[in-house]
Amino acid sequence: MLAGKRLTAVVPARGGSKGLPGKNLLVLGGETLVARAARLGRDCDAVDAVVVSSDDDAILASAKSVSGVVAARRPPALATDGAKTGDVVLHLLDDGEIAEGFVLLLQPTSPLRRLADLEALLQAFTRAEAPAIVSVVEHSEPRPEKLQRIVADRLVPYAGGGYEGPRQELPTPYALNGAFYLIDTTVLRATRSFLPPGTLAFVMPPERSANIDTPADWQVLQAMLAAGYWKIEP
């Protein structure tokens, strides 16, 4: 329970992935990424239930290998490239597979987050009055203010305005790292977004913010682990 409401962890893990085929079943520390995500939710005392949503038999089987985890088959319409995670969660709510209250999204592609991170995020959320909380990491380069786009072969500031001064004078930018999304289900129904106005930020360090979406991401992860710069929690 969280703030008197039921807390459900949802692990979204469809089978198709064009950027890195089979990414949710990659093995790290002796278990698949989807199993790691499900186990993290199960090991958190505040989490009442863990549900893995997938259209893939192998992913669902991996989810079932974690005791206490529910494997929910996703309909084909919600397993396409264009399907939104919010719609997947709302489908689970409408079908009664998860309860109203709070939903914690645990994407398999953030394998270096730790239980201590999750517990700190929940504590931060209960101390604040916010409709949602998401994890972020400090973004170094390229600086958003210096990004450009091309319009009719000409450079135009990507975000408008542009900036050519020293980076030290710029405000610190943050990027979503994909590790945690927590939201009240009533807010999700009303906004259909995991980032409603007033969302609280939970800052995580770079060494636990790896997000695996491409072959290069996976190779960098392996190299950083081998060099000892990053570590996986047992």
Side-chain angles (χ1 to χ4, degrees), residues 10-25:
V10 174
V11 181
R14 71 184 184 92
S17 173
K18 293 181 179 179
L20 180 56
K23 66 181 180 182
N24 291 316
L25 291 174

Side-chain angles (χ1 to χ4, degrees), residues 101 130-132 183-197 199:
I183 191 169
D184 189 308
T185 56
T186 58
V187 177
L188 179 61
R189 286 190 182 281
T191 65
R192 306 186 76 86
S193 170
F194 283 94
L195 289 169
T199 295

Side-chain angles (χ1 to χ4, degrees), residues 45-107:
D45 291 339
V47 173
D48 297 289
V50 180
V51 177
V52 175
S53 168
S54 183
D55 60 315
D56 185 88
D57 289 337
I59 291 175
L60 293 172
S62 183
K64 292 176 183 177
S65 71
V66 182
S67 63
V69 171
V70 174
R73 185 169 293 279
R74 186 184 304 189
L78 292 175
T80 65
D81 288 339
K84 296 180 179 180
T85 303
D87 291 334
V88 171
V89 173
L90 290 173
H91 175 266
L92 292 172
L93 285 166
D94 292 340
D95 272 16
E97 294 188 82
I98 66 174
E100 299 285 351
F102 292 108
V103 169
L104 169 68
L105 207 61
L106 295 175
Q107 299 184 120

Side-chain angles (χ1 to χ4, degrees), residues 26 111 127-128 153 164 168:
L26 292 172
R127 290 195 301 265
D153 297 329
E164 296 182 3
Q168 291 82 2

